[in-house]
Amino acid sequence: MIDPQDLRTAVQRGLITESQAAGLTGIAESRRQAVAGVEPGEEPFVLFKGFNEIFIVIGLSILFMGWVGVSAVLGAEVFNPGGLDTVLVALVTLGGLAVVQGYFTLTRRMIAPSIALAIMSALTAWVLGAAFADVIGLRGLTASALTSAVVAALMLLHYQRFRVPFDAAIIATAVFSTVWSLLAGAGVLPDTSAGFLHLSGTGSLSVLSLIFGLLTFALAMRFDMTDPLRVSTRSTTGFWLHVTAAPAIVNTVAVFLLSGGQGGKLVLMVFLLAIALVALAIDRRSFLVSGAGYAVWLIFELFDGSAMVILFLGFGLVFLGAQWERLRSALMRGLPDFPGKTRLPPYGSNT
């Protein structure tokens, strides 16, 4: 909390104005209330603050679909993007979305409408990129690379303007698609898409996927370490980056190890345990969820679907969730000091 006496002194000395002092006091109070409202060991996650946001999302979705339909009737090739008309319509749509987002995100601070509008902006950016690629005569993987690059660039601008945390997942995925398209076009990677974050177990695609996952994870940690108390949008941005990074890492390693027979499956169990320990250390359950599906599948494969083992797994997950704070505190106290440890969420008596 900012010392009021320090603020008064700063105002008297002309270092800041009265309005700036009031703004700093408001920020400090908001942060104090946010910290007080988060229980120790929680991982804050809010998709909407009330049913009114859901109602608005439904209205925005219908409005957007109606605009797309009208654009198609007027001649814009929005479903198979191409032509200068489609480029112009996409630009107008992005402008309109920016105006609407200014109200719901910057003025009203609504969560669900902001996410919905971010998705609409990303779809429109894709149409713009694909139409522009068609106008300049690009085809195939080259056009795909340009389209993904346009999405990444415009959504980065979108994030800088509106600070919608969900943008981070869109940007990361678009960057991955851009790099894949460029490398596939150059003959380095397979020229058939593996689908959204569906990763191969061998070859250069899995290497790219693993590198992408690790880099995204590192970026997520950078956001997390600037907000260890998890009270700002930077932490929420880190959450969405973790959601993107975890499948890329876990899927790549899991598919590779599952090709190694029974030994590979046992190693995968150890790997999933390591993922659980990492999730505990960084206090991100979202990073752990990606391994849950593989754990269930492995139980069926290694133990012939034993009901007792399934029961034990379920108990283990429930226990982990219920005792997360205590387990994390014990883990962090047992770990030696390492760079960034003090910038992770507090634990034990530090909470």
Side-chain angles (χ1 to χ4, degrees), residues 52-98:
N52 185 48
E53 291 198 2
I54 301 300
F55 184 76
I56 291 174
V57 167
I58 294 173
L60 288 172
S61 301
I62 295 174
L63 180 63
F64 182 72
M65 289 187 292
W67 170 251
V68 170
V70 170
S71 299
V73 170
L74 294 178
E77 300 177 35
V78 292
F79 299 107
N80 185 23
L84 186 58
D85 289 347
T86 305
V87 171
L88 295 177
V89 168
L91 290 173
V92 171
T93 304
L94 286 172
L97 288 170

Side-chain angles (χ1 to χ4, degrees), residues 26 89 117 158 303 338:
V89 168
L117 288 165
H158 187 274
F303 302 99
F338 56 86

Side-chain angles (χ1 to χ4, degrees), residues 30 112 120-121 129 132 152 160 166 182 186 221 234 273 290 292 313:
S30 298
M120 295 173 195
S121 297
F132 181 69
Q160 292 176 340
F166 186 74
L182 290 173
M221 291 305 303
R234 294 186 65 81
L273 177 61
S290 296
L313 175 63

Side-chain angles (χ1 to χ4, degrees), residues 119-192:
I119 295 174
M120 295 173 195
S121 297
L123 292 173
T124 307
W126 179 84
V127 171
L128 174 62
F132 181 69
D134 177 75
V135 169
I136 63 177
L138 298 182
R139 297 291 184 271
L141 290 170
T142 306
S144 177
L146 177 61
T147 301
S148 298
V150 169
V151 173
L154 290 180
M155 293 311 295
L156 180 59
L157 293 175
H158 187 274
Y159 178 77
Q160 292 176 340
R161 176 70 177 95
F162 300 109
R163 296 293 175 182
V164 179
F166 186 74
D167 287 348
I170 299 175
I171 295 168
T173 305
V175 169
F176 177 83
S177 177
T178 302
V179 176
W180 171 81
S181 298
L182 290 173
L183 294 179
V188 177
L189 296 178
D191 59 1
T192 55

Side-chain angles (χ1 to χ4, degrees), residues 1-18 20-26 28:
M1 190 71 178
I2 298 177
D3 189 341
Q5 182 60 44
D6 290 339
L7 285 179
R8 285 194 293 270
T9 302
V11 171
Q12 291 170 359
R13 294 182 179 180
L15 298 177
I16 59 175
T17 65
E18 287 282 359
Q20 289 172 332
L24 288 172
T25 302

Side-chain angles (χ1 to χ4, degrees), residues 159 214-228 230 232-239 241-242 282 284 340 343-344:
Y159 178 77
L214 292 174
L215 290 177
T216 305
F217 175 75
L219 182 59
M221 291 305 303
R222 182 175 180 180
F223 276 96
D224 277 353
M225 288 183 172
T226 61
D227 183 23
R230 306 277 169 82
S232 74
T233 57
R234 294 186 65 81
S235 173
T236 311
T237 301
F239 167 86
L241 287 171
H242 280 300
I282 65 176
R284 281 296 189 187
R343 297 169 63 191
L344 291 172

Side-chain angles (χ1 to χ4, degrees), residues 91-109:
L91 290 173
V92 171
T93 304
L94 286 172
L97 288 170
V99 172
V100 176
Q101 186 114 37
Y103 175 72
F104 286 111
T105 301
L106 300 181
T107 302
R108 297 290 299 276
R109 301 289 181 182

